[in-house]
Amino acid sequence: MSTTLQLKGIRKAFGSNQVLHDIGFELQAGNVTVLMGANGAGKSTLVRILSGVHKRDTGDIILLGRTFNPKTPMDAVAQGVVTVHQGINDGVVPDLDIASNLLLEYLATGGSGFWIRQGALKKKAQALADLVGISSSLDTPVHALSLADRQLVAIARAMAYEPRVMILDEPTSSLSAAEADTLFSLIDKLREHGVAILYISHRMSDIRRLADRIVVMRDGQISANLVEQPLPLNEAVNAMLGRSMDNTTLTISQTTTPSLRLSNAVLAQGAHPFDMTVHEGEVVAIVGLVGSGKSALANVLFGINPLISGTLQLADKPYCPTSPAKAIAAGVFLCPRDRGSNAVVPDFNLTHNITLPFLHKYSRFSWLRTRHEEKRSQQLLDEIGVVYQNSNDNIGTLSGGNQQKVSVARWLSESCRLLILDEPFQGVDIQARRDIGTHLRNAAGTRATLVLVSEIDEATEIADRIIVIAEHTLAGEQINQEPDLDLLLSMMASANNLGTTAA
Amino acid sequence: AGLSISGSWAADMPAPFDNAADVKIALVRYLSTGDFFQAYLSGVETQAQALGVDLRILDSRQDAALQADMVDQAIALGVDGIIVQHGLTESMQDAVQRALDAGIKVVAFDVNVENEAVPQVEQSDRDLARLALEQAIKDNGESFTAGYVYVPGIAPLDRRDETWKEFKERYPGIKEKAQFGTLDNPIANANANQARSVLQANPDITVMFAPYDEFAKGVKIAVDEAGMSQDIKIYSADVSTADIAAMREPDSAWVATAATNPAVVGEVSVRTLAMLLAGEDPGASVIVPPTLITRDMLMDSDIKSMQDLAAKLPAFAHADVATPDWMPLPAR
Amino acid sequence: MNKVINLAIRYGFLTLLVGLVVFFSIAADGFAGPHSAVFIFQSVAITGILALGVTCTLVVGGFDLSIGSVATSSLMLSAYVMVVWEQSALVAIVLCLLMGALVGLVNGWLIVRMRVPDLLATLGMMFLLIGLQRIPTQGRSIATGMTLPDGTVAQGTFSPAFLALGRHRFDLFIERLLPVSVVVLLVIAVLVFLFLNYTRHGRLMYAIGSNERASSLAGVAVNKYKVTAYVISGVLASVGGMLMSARLGRGDIASGNNLLLDSVAAALIGYAVLGAARPNAFGTAMGALFVGILLQGLTMMNAPYYTQDFVKGAVLVLALMFTFSLSARQRR
Amino acid sequence: MNKVINLAIRYGFLTLLVGLVVFFSIAADGFAGPHSAVFIFQSVAITGILALGVTCTLVVGGFDLSIGSVATSSLMLSAYVMVVWEQSALVAIVLCLLMGALVGLVNGWLIVRMRVPDLLATLGMMFLLIGLQRIPTQGRSIATGMTLPDGTVAQGTFSPAFLALGRHRFDLFIERLLPVSVVVLLVIAVLVFLFLNYTRHGRLMYAIGSNERASSLAGVAVNKYKVTAYVISGVLASVGGMLMSARLGRGDIASGNNLLLDSVAAALIGYAVLGAARPNAFGTAMGALFVGILLQGLTMMNAPYYTQDFVKGAVLVLALMFTFSLSARQRR
Ligand SMILES: Nc1ncnc2c1ncn2[C@@H]1O[C@H](COP(=O)(O)OP(=O)(O)OP(=O)(O)O)[C@@H](O)[C@H]1O
Ligand SMILES: Nc1ncnc2c1ncn2[C@@H]1O[C@H](COP(=O)(O)OP(=O)(O)OP(=O)(O)O)[C@@H](O)[C@H]1O
Ligand SMILES: [Mg+2]
Ligand SMILES: [Mg+2]
């Protein structure tokens, strides 16, 4: 088996923050190397160096025997190193249609010639779309797609032509099992074609499924390089955390005072009405495939979209929010998914990002009390375990997972009746996921918590109760004690069995 | 004379004015923003009304190319006569020639289209500057330190500038200490700022020559702000009701301005065209003589507005040019 | 219902355009007819060309405030080359194009390399050029026989070939109907349209405008395209300037101060055409035409210049309100 | 190394500012000294006030092209109220402020409710106002004794109280040193500064400018704040207009384009101050001051107006190049 890409002594610092110390490993042709590491370990930085976004301080990269130092992303792509980056917003061009998005590299490298032959492009694009199973018409502008579909577009584009090295930075973070499987089979194909693949993920299921070898990073250094089969995952995790994972056993609370109540709720045109109750102090996980209506539900509860029909009750009082502001005032918080476009305020530092929704709490006569603000934000940052240098740093300097933690922390600063978290674990490493989970449970108090996820094991990890949504309606539920995973899975899939698809 | 009378004359007006309603004339303008041009327009309108002809106004809003097009448009509209108000020689020459070829009579105001078939109506910028400067010399003697407000590239200002140059040669005693000026709008405000700096830098200036009333207005503001209204005299050209008010202010430094009544110029332009249409010869150039207006004049005969000015200074109210006896004159 | 809204969004603006034409054809005599149509095109030719340039910069998510000054610079430059340096039309044209391209390059360089925000860079460039273009002649207009700062008299003249750019008219059914400037406008419009919509470069420029980061990560030569956009806009502006100079036959300082705002207006109105809600060549052309028709029609109805501004603004606001509110409604 | 760059970014621009002051104090006699200093402030007071308004709209990620015309509208309105309607200063002031607020409301409404892109909405508003402000007087400037369209003569006068806004000076060590306009500028600057940097509302406005979607999902009343920003900018513009009117003592016809460009320049230069790289009140004030110092100094050195534009542009480009390239370098 031949070495495609070789890293030697890569170092990178941002200002005083030494992010990568002396990184060195190899990527083999036709081989999937999984890169593991806690949030802020330096994975994406490494990726950005390989893809020509950042330039390394020192170290050599050798691609097929020739030294490889890409000046620009264009340069990297031209030399056959293709990357799917972590943030979806870095992956798609919202105002263009799907077809153009799929063929962006192709257009950029001039493969299409001077004139655009719409027909030819469409055919080419369709092929790619089918590859990853994008159902929407190719003329739809990408900004109309759901997060998952956007992610698929970004992935499919990378597949557009045979690369030598394919780098995938948390490609599944916003996919659910179904799409993930298509992705895996694609990766298998590439593997057969002898492409060297660097795969980054926090999902054990992915790693189990794909890894030929595992390189583990910790604090910007290689802490393990595992090849022996079967791959020792626990060892990998220990190497990544620097200790063994503390596995919490959660004690299911059985509260009975209802907090949120939906009756005959219809989420989307033509969806079946359903009832649902969430109790005080309860953590309920809502699982469902992509497009099943989880966000639809969240949007309704947070006053973004109205309920098609049916009624909402909060603490036995009718509740019909017409705007996020009103929802927040009523004590309903939503931590939205897709932090890039929905949560992160790029020009702000960590403190300002955290205090955004509750600024009035940090101001007297609308006069800001910054010291008070700073103190509180640092508390929260530490509580939720964000890896950061200084709370005055711009949020853009945080790693993806840590940005996610910040956007969750934002909503934990104040107590509320109902806390909704949509895909809160996107890009968060396993330990941090546990920590957040425990924090959510312990700090729950009388608060009812809804966690919207598309991964069952994420649900089982934190929930008292698991509700399955499919087809924009409630498909079933289980108390989270030795839950019957297969049953849950079949409930989730029920949508597809029915043959119709929502969204 | 009044409209009533002009009506009775209408009968014995020469062709084509025997039935004036069918006569169509066009005013093709280059500049339109500001009091002068508004007053000029009103003059054109009143005289046209007095004649009873149909007037069309084509306004190119300082787009010389468009102005040339508008002459063509006037031709297409089948007008009998065209008044060209301001513009650039180079861009108008051909257009005007096309009009003449189409058998249309043309009069030009304040733009030289280099065509002897086209009479020039002029308010004679040189005379304007001359009158103001002569007054300045009368007041301050033949040697003084002056500030000069000038923005090159604007035809009337360039012509006034020539006179200023002549005077500087003729009277070596005149020292031009500073030259400034801008057309940033509001013009008065922008020039006030510049004048203020100039006065700061050259406190010894005693005379400001600002041959455009907007400039003068600006300079006056600066002089007041610098508290130098006793030590400085402003000489300018053009006049408007607003200017009169400014000149009349207590110990105003703006002591004199030379001006023609833009309304009168407008009337004269129309009358000249009318004569052409009637087959008479107004002469190659019809000059509307300017009048000198001093602060003392305004105070002594208590003149507060253009109306008063017209009433008190007949020379200003009406220029006795292009007035054959059949010509109906506007009511006044 | 949705269908209706959809139609309204797509064709609302064009309907309005047609409506205007019909209205004016009835209300204003002399509006309908080939000549008038040509006038309209000619009156917006230069604005339109500049607007197409801005469109390209808008497409890459930028903005070019310097076009107006580039146009006037090339107006002055072409005049200077022919009148002062006594060079041929060809030399003048080549130098102007080079000047435009150079300005575009500098703008682009400032923006992509020096990371200066586009508005800022091009605004600075604007002031810089406004000053620069006046320095060689100390702010005087350039015409044959002018005296230069060094006292010599400029002997050169505008070459007939060059003047033809502004004055020659091609026969089309009616003889001497179609002016060169209109032909140039149409050609450029078609080229820019094809470039933006049917070439991969155009597509990539739209990609950059929509998400610069993603585009560059996908290997698009972002900087190269951005610079290109500014070069295009610079070159087109210089073309506009040359046409103006050929129309005027003189390097006139005062000309072209409305160019910037009018062309920006045209480009932005373009957003509303066919519900594109993004910069696009066809829309820009329609936008320019729209303004032209409005002004021509109002002129033909003898509306004074200030009501023209007012109506322009009002119609603009209403038309856009209509389109955008609808397309927003529909997007939800 | 990094430290040096950091210092350069933070203090580069201010150093340049000081450098300029020193240079002019040596090169131009009369530049140094309290009077001159005060005058610099006075000359930029109006632009500065407008610029602070634009800054607010820039903060919420918008842009207001209508400020210039709002200012000139309030210039005309105040004059009209006092001279034609013969009302008191108070009435004039109140009406002008209301007008400004109203324009701001309409702009905001067009942008947030009708979803018209900000540039487009405010551009339309600009044209609309430029026309509107001239209709009541048919394009004449307003002064006591003017004849109105209906033939009557306006008898009202600017009330002394109002004129004081433009002409009164407070004593400060030296008597009659500090003009009202400067005091107003300073007060507004401080208020806007505090508002944007130290109040919740300011912070939220910055949030909106940075990520509107995220802000609204965090419960921020995005639309309310955006409208507020445009209202602020409208009101400040009308204040600027009133100060101008008080200074001129008459209602001048002006488009206000230069006001627009200069204040936008000031606001954008502000990006470079203290390496903020985003709109900020302090920077804007410095930006305005910078332009003021430059022009004052150059005028004092007798530099003609065109070289002033040139230098303004050149220094602008260089200063920004410097700041932004450095802060960019540091970022990657
Ligand atoms: N542009 C930047 N400026 C300064 N520091 C940065 C920048 N980008 C990343 N960092 C720092 O580099 C470290 C590694 O970031 P990186 O994004 O590589 O982590 P990661 O391994 O991708 O984490 P995650 O799993 O959350 O994506 C973090 O501490 C982060 O704060
Ligand atoms: N079938 C549908 N009818 C109406 N609206 C829908 C439909 N599907 C999605 N939406 C809207 O699109 C947005 C995303 O909904 P979606 O169904 O993708 O959420 P989801 O099921 O949580 O997807 P994901 O699993 O990716 O979170 C919601 O605001 C929802 O209102
Ligand atoms: Mg990462
Ligand atoms: Mg999801």
Side-chain angles (χ1 to χ4, degrees), chain A residues 450-468:
Chain A
L450 278 179
V451 184
L452 284 53
V453 293
S454 42
E455 283 287 291
I456 290 202
D457 47 6
E458 288 180 1
T460 51
E461 214 172 80
I462 54 164
D464 299 313
R465 193 151 57 98
I466 299 173
I467 293 180
V468 178

Side-chain angles (χ1 to χ4, degrees), chain B residues 33 35 38 151 177-178 181 184-186 188-189 193-194 196-197 200 214 217 221 225 241-243 305 307, chain D residues 30 39 42-43 138 140-141 143-145 147 169 244 247-248 250 253 255-258 296 300 302 305 308:
Chain B
T33 310
D35 290 335
Q38 213 59 43
V151 172
K177 193 74 184 296
D184 285 5
N185 66 53
N189 190 54
N193 289 339
Q194 289 202 352
R196 186 75 168 68
S197 322
Q200 187 79 37
E214 294 293 328
K217 174 69 182 172
I221 291 170
E225 285 174 355
T241 299
D243 299 339
S305 69
Q307 279 66 21
Chain D
F39 171 61
Q42 184 177 9
S43 67
Q138 296 187 333
R140 295 192 195 77
S141 60
T144 311
T147 9
R169 293 151 167 272
M244 202 149 52
R247 188 182 192 194
L248 298 178
R250 72 182 196 204
I253 289 293
S255 69
N257 289 352
N258 302 91
Q296 163 95 329
M300 284 190 157
N302 262 337
Y305 72 105
Q308 301 188 1

Side-chain angles (χ1 to χ4, degrees), chain C residues 102-262:
Chain C
L102 180 69
V103 173
L105 273 176
V106 176
N107 280 335
W109 178 78
L110 284 170
I111 291 163
V112 303
R113 281 256 161 285
M114 295 291 116
R115 295 280 197 288
V116 181
D118 41 28
L119 279 173
L120 209 37
T122 53
L123 187 78
M125 182 55 76
M126 182 190 86
F127 284 123
L128 205 144
L129 287 176
I130 290 179
L132 196 56
Q133 73 198 7
R134 285 167 159 78
I135 290 177
T137 60
Q138 297 186 335
R140 289 192 196 70
S141 302
I142 301 170
T144 310
M146 72 178 289
T147 35
L148 300 170
D150 61 15
T152 59
V153 173
Q155 297 301 356
T157 56
F158 272 64
S159 89
F162 190 88
L163 288 175
L165 285 179
R167 303 177 180 188
H168 179 71
R169 289 154 167 271
F170 299 105
D171 305 349
L172 181 81
F173 309 123
I174 307 160
E175 55 152 328
R176 310 202 62 262
L177 179 68
L178 215 55
V180 178
S181 57
V182 174
V183 177
V184 176
L185 169 67
L186 295 177
V187 171
I188 290 180
V190 170
L191 287 180
V192 174
F193 177 77
L194 292 177
F195 177 75
L196 287 179
N197 297 293
Y198 295 109
T199 73
R200 66 170 238 268
H201 305 296
R203 188 64 59 87
L204 291 174
M205 282 168 72
Y206 273 110
I208 293 168
S210 168
N211 184 345
E212 181 172 335
R213 200 174 144 68
S215 311
S216 85
L217 289 176
V220 180
V222 171
N223 290 354
K224 211 181 72 204
Y225 279 110
K226 280 183 128 181
V227 174
T228 315
Y230 283 94
V231 171
I232 293 177
S233 133
V235 170
L236 289 189
S238 73
V239 172
M242 279 187 280
L243 290 177
M244 195 154 51
S245 148
R247 300 290 312 283
L248 302 185
R250 159 196 186 93
D252 179 55
I253 283 296
S255 298
N257 29 16
N258 303 337
L259 278 179
L260 173 62
L261 288 174
D262 287 350

Side-chain angles (χ1 to χ4, degrees), chain A residues 71-187:
Chain A
K71 307 255 168 322
T72 63
M74 198 184 3
D75 199 358
V77 172
Q79 298 188 51
V81 177
V82 180
T83 309
V84 177
H85 286 276
Q86 186 171 4
I88 288 104
N89 294 355
D90 300 349
V92 290
V93 178
D95 293 346
L96 291 191
D97 59 1
I98 297 180
S100 316
N101 264 280
L102 287 174
L103 299 175
L104 210 50
E105 273 99 348
Y106 179 64
L107 291 167
T109 48
S112 64
F114 185 77
W115 296 104
I116 287 185
R117 281 176 252 75
Q118 203 60 29
L121 278 195
K122 274 278 175 53
K123 242 195 237 78
K124 228 171 145 49
Q126 193 59 59
L128 288 168
D130 300 341
L131 213 59
V132 295
I134 294 171
S135 48
S136 333
S137 138
L138 294 185
D139 305 330
T140 29
V142 164
H143 64 65
L145 296 183
S146 77
L147 179 62
D149 286 348
R150 268 181 273 153
Q151 179 65 285
L152 286 180
V153 169
I155 293 168
R157 196 178 68 218
M159 310 285 175
Y161 59 107
E162 293 282 300
R164 293 213 182 76
V165 178
M166 165 79 75
I167 304 172
L168 298 150
D169 193 350
E170 300 189 26
T172 51
S173 62
S174 56
L175 300 183
S176 56
E179 298 84 14
D181 286 331
T182 24
L183 172 62
F184 297 153
S185 43
L186 280 172
I187 293 177

Side-chain angles (χ1 to χ4, degrees), chain A residues 294 337 422-423 454:
Chain A
K294 299 190 298 299
R337 58 149 153 208
D422 192 356
E423 301 289 358
S454 42

